[in-house]
């Protein structure tokens, strides 16, 4: 079917594989279907196929992998239904700002007129609005260009997923090879906006910093800490932040902002300048009233996201690269001397009990993990307790999802472990979260990853039960669809090849179980029965 | 916040619940999140919440339930991420023509300007193109009208899913109640088109019927059989049909059309008229060439789907109600006498072996199931073998998915079992399919359904491996991402509360295991190790 076999031409398959090599995307996350098979003909030895048993697991693994490698991950999904199954995870990747180049196998072009089996009738529309770009090239020979285009879009800030739909018959066609290009990193903030923020910061008497996921994503821990210390600012973590951008044991660390307007204003009270770095201002979960910042306080924001800058209700925003912007602020003359604000009060140690409290369980984990260990967390009801008992201390050691959608934790942990074989990765997930994507255990077993799964099993969707009074439910009232009794995670682990799995119900057994699981040379799972 | 508390007004919540009662939708399939909770305040005793642990399971259960009850099922999903996780199953429901009224919890309206946590930014766009209609009412008081509108759209032919996005703060607002309306069933085919088809049928010497899912969906078994017997037609099942519309032991039953153009033409050779009832003409899986029907044959089609009628490449189509159309054809004068065409040749019995063949396993199931038992199948590589060894004999006893997307089988079987407590429902799924939505076992256990799960475990995505030579792979060549070793379904069942689970590897143990599982009073699982 090739229209040109002249010198310099290659197949679409080979041109795409060459691009993937150039972009460092030699792991293919996927679950195959018939319309993807032609990609695998003569599968090259320098590529690795990472199989997930459902597409939400596939994309979750790719999300964690891309976040940890700081490069787009390549995903290959099956036609409409594979993309469909993945849409929840694609939404999470969108909110996480994770670059993904997602391809979907389309039916052969000659079948399009006949609504064939497995046809994705409007393939570029299906993933919207949660891709930065989607494309089904009009001609087979334009597929490699579309892959390159998608990669460059995914990698530009704010990063995110893209989707390219590829007809099954395109892979064997001929085309011209595509040379990889270089596109600069995120643009720098406009100088006048940065100068205004710098002047406001210098003039401030009691500044507070609010640290979002962008700080960790952009590798800006060191410059942000330097700026906070220079200005003696109180430092808060932004509401629902999916990453940690400031050491939680730092004396200036003041705590975690909740996702509620009035409580944010209360927490920030006393500051006259709020500098938000790499975060929205602010992420709200429930309705609020009144001002968005304390009376008399100004708000300044540095973000790489024009949308986030646009909807912020008050204050001054600079849009551009965070690391560069903070470095620029550090180059200003030394600010006035300010008193050092008090950090968080010390938390009391949790006591052992049966059943264990979440605070005891997490404190036990904090006692035995190393600060370099990576925690991939999805235990919404336990997160406030984690904030008190399991502090994150270093860059790139904490990942959760920014979307509020369950199912990210287990597969993302597998992806991070795959990306960072020298790190110990701990998946810390609730029972409800774990059941969303329990199939990730199988992938961990197949990949023989030396990683640790900690399941906090409270037998319910606790976050919802605790949230219900916000909507007028009586405390403790029965809530439909939130009871998760009768799940045995050790049996589930065994069923998927994770043979190193234990259930811990007594506090005196926990420490040893965690120590063993953190030293495992294969996937190990600890199910902790908590109150 | 109510703007009117005058007489006759109610809350949005109560108005919606009243409509759901009127529409017979008192089971709510869902997985809750915070933005859905207000619906559950004071959850009425005449409603039942059916919890799935991931949204693809939720929608799969609703799909089976709606198909079996012949009424739309009500689904409540969580915001963007819940709808996202469900999109694969929504695509399947779209292809299955299953009516679903899907609601999604949206953030409170006052938060929309601030891109809040859990916001579905373009909620009506997310499910497209695989809903018939999607809506986020501009005002709280229009939510009940939107539910009614959606129900009527979902139930009109061709049926399918709709989605309504409902802000969390809407449920407590006041509104006028909405009276349920009556809208007629599918329109009847145009008389002239039916007359042309009737004349062609009368003039035919060797007619062949092709039976699609529409026959079973529309309850047209009896009239279709009468028409086939009257005309002495050979009867084929349409390619990839998701339902069975003709008894597979009938002497005129001639077999199953494959989804390949040339092979369809070969199978239909010898017929001068092809009458396609309730199916596309035809569903293709791989590229083909040449004519779509045998030389000299005419094609006639009766379908309720204008799209399917529009893209058929040849022939005459009538668009409208199938049952009525066939009845109309039966009222024509008796046709010429024709010789009775030969049906399918008898299949030889399968022999026992270790490991067992799929044909032996399915033959064993056929030996012990009753013809009234309902099979919900998703074992793509085994389906051709099923066609030979596990014949379907009655209406509404066979369901599979029309989409080609895995993950429907287990949850749909749960939904059918919930809808038909007096029937024995058998989920017949492959290992790869089962792992897509294994969480459905938990729902079956919680619902205490007396149903049977039969897992055909061949340790691989066999359908893909068998399909690969079509794309030029050497037979038996290794194929990335198709090896599924190391899954223990008995352990998985135990982990989710299905305690009655056995693994059968020897043929002499199979019959007793199946008999016991078909008599169970709770969910029972038989994992069959097949070659």
């Amino acid at each position: 079917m090739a229209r040109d076999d002249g010198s310099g031409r290659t197949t679409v398959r080979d041109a795409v594989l060459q691009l993937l090599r150039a972009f460092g995307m030699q792991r293919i996350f996927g679950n195959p279907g018939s319309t993807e098979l032609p990609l695998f003909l003569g599968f090259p030895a320098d590529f690795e196929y990472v199989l997930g048993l459902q597409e939400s697991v596939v994309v979750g693994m790719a999300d964690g992998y891309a976040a940890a490698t700081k490069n787009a991950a390549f995903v290959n999904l099956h036609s409409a239904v594979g993309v469909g199954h993945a849409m929840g995870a694609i939404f999470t990747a969108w909110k996480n700002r994770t670059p993904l180049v997602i391809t979907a196998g389309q039916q052969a072009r000659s079948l399009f007129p006949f609504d064939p089996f497995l046809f994705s009738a409007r393939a570029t529309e299906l993933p919207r609005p949660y891709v930065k770009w989607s494309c089904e090239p009009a001609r087979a020979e334009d597929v490699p260009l579309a892959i390159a285009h998608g990669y460059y879009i995914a990698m530009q800030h704010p990063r995110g997923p893209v989707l390219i739909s590829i007809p099954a018959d395109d892979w064997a066609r001929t085309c011209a090879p595509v040379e990889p290009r270089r596109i600069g990193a995120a643009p720098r903030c406009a100088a006048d906006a940065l100068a205004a923020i710098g002047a406001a910061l210098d003039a401030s008497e009691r500044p507070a910093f609010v640290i979002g996921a962008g700080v960790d994503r952009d590798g800006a821990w060191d410059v942000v800490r330097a700026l906070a210390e220079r200005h003696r600012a109180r430092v808060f973590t932004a509401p629902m932040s999916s990453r940690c951008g400031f050491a939680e044991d730092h004396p200036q660390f003041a705590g975690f902002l909740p996702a509620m307007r009035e409580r944010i204003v209360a927490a920030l009270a006393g500051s006259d300048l709020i500098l938000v770095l790499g975060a929205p201002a602010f992420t709200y979960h429930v309705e609020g009233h009144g001002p968005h910042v304390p009376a008399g306080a100004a708000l300044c924001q540095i973000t790489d996201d024009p949308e986030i800058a646009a909807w912020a209700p008050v204050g001054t925003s600079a849009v551009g690269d965070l690391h560069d912007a903070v470095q620029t602020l550090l180059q200003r003359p030394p600010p006035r001397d300010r008193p050092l604000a008090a950090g968080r009060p010390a938390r009391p140690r949790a006591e052992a009990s049966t059943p264990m409290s979440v605070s005891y369980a997490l404190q036990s984990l904090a006692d035995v993990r190393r600060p370099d260990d990576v925690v991939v967390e999805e235990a919404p009801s336990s997160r406030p307790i984690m904030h008190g008992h399991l502090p994150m201390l270093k860059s790139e050691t904490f990942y959760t999802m920014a979307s509020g959608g369950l199912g990210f934790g287990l597969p993302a942990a597998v992806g991070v472990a795959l990306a960072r074989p020298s790190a110990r990765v701990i998946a810390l997930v609730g029972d409800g979260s774990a059941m969303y994507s329990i199939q990730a255990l199988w992938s961990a077993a197949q990949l023989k990853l030396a990683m640790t799964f900690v399941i906090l099993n409270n037998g319910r969707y606790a976050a919802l039960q605790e949230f219900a009074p916000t909507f007028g439910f009586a405390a403790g009232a029965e809530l439909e669809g939130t009871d998760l009794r009768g799940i045995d995670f050790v049996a589930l682990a065994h069923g998927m090849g994770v043979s190193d799995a234990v259930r811990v119900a007594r506090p005196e057994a926990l420490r040893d179980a965690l120590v063993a699981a953190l030293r495992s040379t294969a996937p190990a799972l600890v199910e902790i029965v908590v109150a």
Side-chain angles (χ1 to χ4, degrees), chain A:
Chain A
M1 310 290 278
R3 286 184 280 177
D4 181 348
D5 287 315
S7 69
R9 287 183 76 86
T10 181
T11 62
V12 168
R13 181 188 300 111
D14 286 340
V16 169
L17 292 174
Q18 269 309 110
L19 279 173
L20 298 188
R21 288 185 183 100
F23 295 146
M25 299 195 294
Q26 280 153 279
R27 283 194 162 112
I28 300 180
F29 296 85
N31 185 290
S34 59
T35 51
E36 292 79 57
L37 291 186
L39 168 60
F40 304 138
L41 199 57
F43 194 78
D46 58 336
F47 279 73
E48 179 185 356
Y49 191 84
V50 181
L51 174 62
L53 298 186
Q54 210 259 15
E55 282 82 0
S56 67
V57 176
V58 170
V59 172
M61 292 193 296
D63 190 334
Y65 186 80
T69 59
K70 305 187 194 72
N71 189 28
F74 187 74
V75 178
N76 184 241
L77 300 179
H78 185 37
S79 186
V81 76
V83 176
H85 283 321
M87 274 311 298
I90 291 172
F91 172 69
T92 289
W94 168 268
K95 299 297 278 187
N96 284 354
R97 305 303 192 197
T98 303
L100 298 177
V101 176
I102 302 169
T103 55
Q106 174 64 294
Q107 262 294 5
R109 292 179 190 266
S110 74
L111 287 171
F112 284 18
F114 309 120
D115 193 24
F117 196 58
L118 303 175
F119 186 44
S120 188
R122 282 137 72 185
T124 60
E125 182 178 348
L126 173 58
R128 290 180 194 154
Y130 297 115
V131 286
K132 292 182 70 179
W133 182 73
S134 60
C135 175
E136 183 173 272
R139 308 183 310 163
E141 51 263 57
D142 298 329
V143 166
L145 277 170
I147 298 279
H149 183 164
Y151 177 77
Y152 302 133
I153 289 278
M155 287 296 286
Q156 287 180 60
H157 289 247
R159 291 174 167 175
V162 300
L163 183 136
I164 301 112
S165 170
I166 306 176
D169 54 327
D170 283 5
W171 294 103
R173 307 292 165 107
T174 62
C175 66
V178 173
E179 285 299 312
R181 299 168 53 231
R182 181 196 168 98
I183 298 183
R188 301 168 60 198
C189 294
D192 59 343
L194 266 193
I197 290 173
L201 185 56
D202 291 345
S204 162
E205 296 186 2
R206 296 172 305 279
F209 288 7
V210 176
I211 306 296
V215 171
D216 199 43
R217 276 201 302 264
D218 292 358
W221 270 63
D222 291 349
V223 290
V224 165
R225 192 192 61 235
L227 192 70
E229 291 175 350
R230 180 183 175 95
H231 287 279
R232 301 200 156 218
R234 293 192 294 166
V235 178
F236 295 86
T237 294
M240 300 290 183
S241 182
S242 62
R243 305 276 284 263
C244 172
F246 198 83
E248 293 167 18
D249 62 349
H250 190 285
Q252 287 171 242
F253 184 64
F256 301 82
L257 293 183
M260 301 182 191
R261 192 193 305 191
E262 294 86 342
R263 289 183 55 196
I264 291 170
V265 170
L268 297 175
S271 286
D272 56 354
L273 180 86
I274 319 296
L275 177 60
V276 180
L277 298 171
F282 296 97
T283 298
Y284 298 133
H285 186 187
V286 294
E287 291 189 274
H289 302 282
H292 296 271
V293 291
L299 187 140
C300 294
Q301 177 184 49
I302 301 173
T303 174
D304 65 6
D305 187 335
E307 283 285 331
I308 283 177
W311 65 251
V314 295
T316 300
S317 296
V319 180
D321 184 74
L322 184 72
H323 192 282
D324 176 82
V326 175
Q327 267 186 323
T328 303
L329 292 177
L330 282 169
Q331 285 155 14
R332 296 177 69 88
R336 69 176 71 189
D337 195 31
R338 302 185 180 98
L340 194 61
R344 283 202 293 175
R347 273 82 52 209
R349 296 272 300 174
E351 298 296 326
S353 59
T354 304
M356 279 174 273
S357 64
V358 172
S359 48
Y360 181 83
L362 295 181
Q363 171 181 290
S364 302
L365 181 58
D367 288 346
V368 300
R369 64 92 196 247
R370 295 166 308 178
D372 290 323
D373 291 347
V374 179
V375 174
V376 182
E377 175 265 338
E378 188 177 287
S381 68
S382 300
R383 194 180 300 165
I385 301 166
M386 184 184 74
H387 290 158
H389 292 276
L390 181 60
M392 303 303 155
L393 309 173
K394 298 201 169 188
S395 65
E396 297 176 52
T397 62
F398 178 72
Y399 301 86
T400 186
M401 44 73 191
S403 66
L406 301 187
F408 165 85
L410 285 191
V414 172
V416 175
L418 193 60
R420 295 181 56 186
S422 62
R424 169 60 56 166
V425 174
I426 304 163
L428 176 65
V429 297
D431 48 351
S433 291
M435 289 309 296
Y436 256 76
S437 48
I438 193 72
Q439 299 94 333
L441 295 179
W442 184 84
S443 294
Q446 293 296 308
L447 294 164
K448 300 183 172 59
L449 295 172
M451 63 182 297
T452 308
F453 296 95
V454 176
I455 313 283
L456 299 172
N457 189 349
N458 56 20
R460 59 203 177 102
Y461 289 121
L464 287 179
Q465 294 180 359
E466 290 165 11
F467 195 77
T470 305
F471 285 125
F473 288 78
E478 193 181 338
L479 191 60
E480 295 300 316
T482 59
D483 192 344
L484 289 184
R485 265 171 264 214
I487 299 173
D488 175 348
F489 286 95
V490 172
L492 294 178
H494 288 164
M496 284 184 279
V498 174
S499 54
D500 183 355
V502 293
R503 180 182 178 100
V504 180
R506 291 177 303 111
E508 55 272 26
L510 182 57
R511 185 186 175 95
D512 287 352
L514 288 173
V515 166
L518 289 172
R519 286 180 188 154
S520 69
T521 55
L525 182 143
V526 181
E527 175 185 359
I528 310 179
V529 180
V530 293

